Amino acid sequence: MKVYADRILLWNEGNLPEGFTMDDLLGEHTSRPRNKNIANAFYRAGFIESWGRGIQKIKSGFETAGLASPSFQATMGGMMVSILRRGNPHEKTREKTREKIVQLIRDDPTITMDQLAESLEVSVKGVEWQLNSLKRDNVIKRVGPDKGGHWEVLGKGE
């Protein structure tokens, strides 16, 4: 592990399974655990819910948290994972996304999460994370039910 001001790099020795490419690994694929005994023990203990989804779960977790997805690279006989740190240029992007959400709500208080996601070109999970953050920070609030309700921008969003 190497920690830098803008990122964290993780490297682990071991080549991809024979016949696998990075595209295979980052997409839907079958699982080929290196140590089947350890993998099976983790599966039985409930640490693995299904095979071949680890990287997708990692990426989804970062997206849900509103963070940039880590990058994965097969290099130097191992796997390198690069995780961008908060306080980097992507932090400014998240702040701009918050501002855009507040403006879209001002323009249309009945806007839906799907409409926000489409307008911002981000996932619905990413919008949901941002909305929850804005609500926690008392920038916006939801009035009424999901269907038929509306958003209000509070004083801190002005």
Side-chain angles (χ1 to χ4, degrees):
M1 177 190 304
K2 291 185 180 180
V3 179
Y4 298 95
D6 64 338
R7 71 193 183 284
I8 298 171
L9 295 179
L10 304 169
W11 183 84
N12 191 58
E13 186 172 0
N15 293 317
L16 293 174
E18 189 174 329
F20 261 45
T21 65
M22 280 305 297
D23 287 338
D24 294 330
L25 190 66
L26 296 175
E28 296 253 344
H29 64 277
T30 59
S31 180
R32 293 192 196 162
R34 294 210 182 273
N35 186 320
K36 292 181 182 180
N37 292 330
I38 291 175
N40 194 36
F42 275 57
Y43 178 76
R44 289 177 183 231
F47 296 121
I48 301 172
E49 66 184 41
S50 66
W51 301 107
R53 291 184 2 112
I55 289 181
Q56 293 306 321
K57 285 182 73 175
I58 291 167
K59 291 171 74 174
S60 176
F62 273 76
E63 182 179 302
T64 299
L67 301 170
S69 181
S71 65
F72 300 86
Q73 179 184 10
T75 182
M76 300 179 291
M79 177 68 69
M80 177 80 72
V81 180
S82 179
I83 302 168
L84 296 175
R85 296 183 65 177
R86 290 193 185 268
N88 62 43
H90 292 279
E91 189 71 32
K92 291 177 184 173
T93 301
R94 281 191 294 279
E95 196 57 39
K96 286 182 182 180
T97 300
R98 284 172 59 102
E99 292 170 14
K100 288 177 185 177
I101 287 173
V102 170
Q103 187 58 53
L104 288 167
I105 288 172
R106 279 192 181 113
D107 293 344
D108 179 7
T110 62
I111 195 165
T112 66
M113 279 199 280
D114 288 335
Q115 291 169 328
L116 285 167
E118 186 177 327
S119 293
L120 298 167
E121 298 180 351
V122 299
S123 71
V124 172
K125 281 187 175 188
V127 167
E128 184 177 17
W129 186 89
Q130 290 283 2
L131 289 172
N132 288 333
S133 174
L134 287 163
K135 287 190 282 187
R136 270 193 314 273
D137 294 344
N138 292 315
V139 175
I140 62 170
K141 75 174 183 176
R142 182 74 183 173
V143 178
D146 289 344
K147 293 188 181 202
H150 66 276
W151 295 101
E152 285 186 8
V153 178
L154 305 174
K156 289 187 177 184
E158 303 287 82

